[in-house]
């Protein structure tokens, strides 16, 4: 079992920056893939970024060049550095982890379905 706790959300003006953190506990070495998702009111949850244990990253087109995902396996912590924030980035941001070490095709890594463990979320609000 893996527990995930997000932090670092808040309110920012457009163009600002935020860094989200996700502290993982439990059998974290069993999760080859971890990711960040977001969900705005009235919208479906969407994948923002994913990272494999070897550091391979995948990003949604909407955040490429602005968001950077990273993980510190020694600290069992996942990060999402966000710069050049836009009002459309406003959402609840969730940390997620896949159970197991099986390979997942890149096109699946930003879909919620492969992910077993989810945090409670941290709110990010960007004002114009």
């Amino acid at each position: 079992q893996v527990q995930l706790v997000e932090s670092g959300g808040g309110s920012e003006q457009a163009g600002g920056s935020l860094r989200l953190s996700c502290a993982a506990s439990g059998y974290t070495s069993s999760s080859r893939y971890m990711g960040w998702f977001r969900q705005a009111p009235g919208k479906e949850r969407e994948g923002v970024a994913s990272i494999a244990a070897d550091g391979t990253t995948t990003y949604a087109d909407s955040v490429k060049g602005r968001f950077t995902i990273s993980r510190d396996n020694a600290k069992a912590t996942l990060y999402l550095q966000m710069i050049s924030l836009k009002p459309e980035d406003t959402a609840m941001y969730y940390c997620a982890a896949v159970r197991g070490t099986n390979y997942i095709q890149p096109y699946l890594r930003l879909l919620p379905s492969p992910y077993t463990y989810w945090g409670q979320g941290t709110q990010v609000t960007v004002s114009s």
Side-chain angles (χ1 to χ4, degrees):
Q1 189 75 9
V2 173
Q3 294 81 43
L4 304 171
V5 179
E6 304 94 336
S7 61
S11 297
E12 266 293 340
Q13 291 190 332
S17 302
L18 282 172
R19 187 195 196 201
L20 306 183
S21 299
C22 172
S25 60
Y27 192 41
T28 57
S29 61
S30 67
S31 294
R32 181 172 177 174
Y33 298 95
M34 297 187 73
W36 287 98
F37 291 76
R38 67 186 182 186
Q39 188 167 18
K43 295 188 176 181
E44 293 187 355
R45 189 168 298 190
E46 63 173 350
V48 174
S50 173
I51 186 167
D54 65 359
T56 303
T57 56
T58 306
Y59 293 96
D61 288 343
S62 59
V63 306
K64 281 181 181 177
R66 300 189 300 119
F67 291 9
T68 302
I69 188 172
S70 61
R71 65 191 288 178
D72 186 331
N73 292 326
K75 295 182 178 180
T77 303
L78 182 71
Y79 302 98
L80 185 68
Q81 179 67 51
M82 305 184 292
I83 66 171
S84 302
L85 284 164
K86 303 176 180 180
E88 50 264 43
D89 294 322
T90 296
M92 184 71 77
Y93 282 71
Y94 298 91
C95 170
V98 174
R99 180 171 60 191
T101 58
N102 291 337
Y103 177 77
I104 296 177
Q105 295 286 348
Y107 76 96
L108 292 174
R109 295 175 194 173
L110 293 182
L111 296 179
S113 54
Y115 293 81
T116 309
Y117 307 108
W118 293 85
Q120 294 300 306
T122 185
Q123 178 68 37
V124 172
T125 303
V126 184
S127 58
S128 57

